[in-house]
């Protein structure tokens, strides 16, 4: 669930990336070929122990690395590519583009 990652991402923004949105975007979006399999505790590097404990618990089992989607195989054998959905490409990807949230959020 994407909303469940928000506290982790906010802490990463503050501590690991020093509130530098460009650096965080570079790491999470631009430097990744396809996407993330899992966002891990490494995003909390630099965070106080109390923050880490509150977000992921404690002990060595709570420390897991982020993992990218590296083991993807396409049907035709070509390298996998990132799927980007925009308002203009959504229909071609058999998806719907819902702008109702954007309208209600801006009120």
């Amino acid at each position: 669930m994407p909303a469940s990652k928000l506290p982790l991402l906010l802490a990463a923004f503050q501590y690991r990336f020093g509130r530098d949105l460009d650096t965080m975007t570079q790491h999470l979006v631009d430097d990744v070929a396809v996407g993330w399999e899992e966002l891990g505790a490494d995003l909390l590097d630099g965070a106080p122990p109390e923050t880490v404990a509150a977000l992921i618990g404690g002990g060595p089992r709570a420390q897991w690395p982020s993992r990218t989607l590296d083991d993807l195989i396409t049907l035709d054998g070509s390298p996998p590519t990132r799927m980007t959905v925009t308002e203009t490409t959504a229909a071609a990807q058999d998806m719907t583009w819902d702008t109702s949230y954007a309208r209600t959020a801006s009120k």
Side-chain angles (χ1 to χ4, degrees), residues 1 5 8 28 32-40 42-43 64-72:
M1 195 88 188
K5 298 297 181 192
L8 174 69
L28 293 175
V32 179
V34 178
W36 293 96
E37 183 174 338
E38 181 174 16
L39 296 175
D42 57 307
L43 290 177
W64 72 95
S66 297
R67 295 188 317 237
T68 58
L69 292 168
D70 294 330
D71 299 328
L72 299 177

Side-chain angles (χ1 to χ4, degrees), residues 40-42 52-53 56-65:
D42 57 307
V52 174
I56 62 172
R61 293 186 60 112
Q63 300 296 316
W64 72 95

Side-chain angles (χ1 to χ4, degrees), residues 2-61:
S4 68
K5 298 297 181 192
L6 186 58
L8 174 69
L9 291 171
L10 288 172
F13 174 70
Q14 182 172 354
Y15 298 108
R16 177 166 178 178
F17 299 105
R19 296 181 178 261
D20 185 338
L21 187 58
D22 291 334
T23 301
M24 184 173 173
T25 301
Q26 181 78 33
H27 177 78
L28 293 175
V29 179
D30 300 334
D31 289 349
V32 179
V34 178
W36 293 96
E37 183 174 338
E38 181 174 16
L39 296 175
D42 57 307
L43 290 177
L44 297 175
D45 289 351
E50 307 81 44
T51 301
V52 174
L55 291 173
I56 62 172
R61 293 186 60 112

Side-chain angles (χ1 to χ4, degrees), residues 13 20 25 37 47 60 71 74 85-86 94-95 97:
F13 174 70
D20 185 338
T25 301
E37 183 174 338
D71 299 328
T74 60
V85 181
T86 66
D94 199 26
M95 301 179 122
W97 189 265

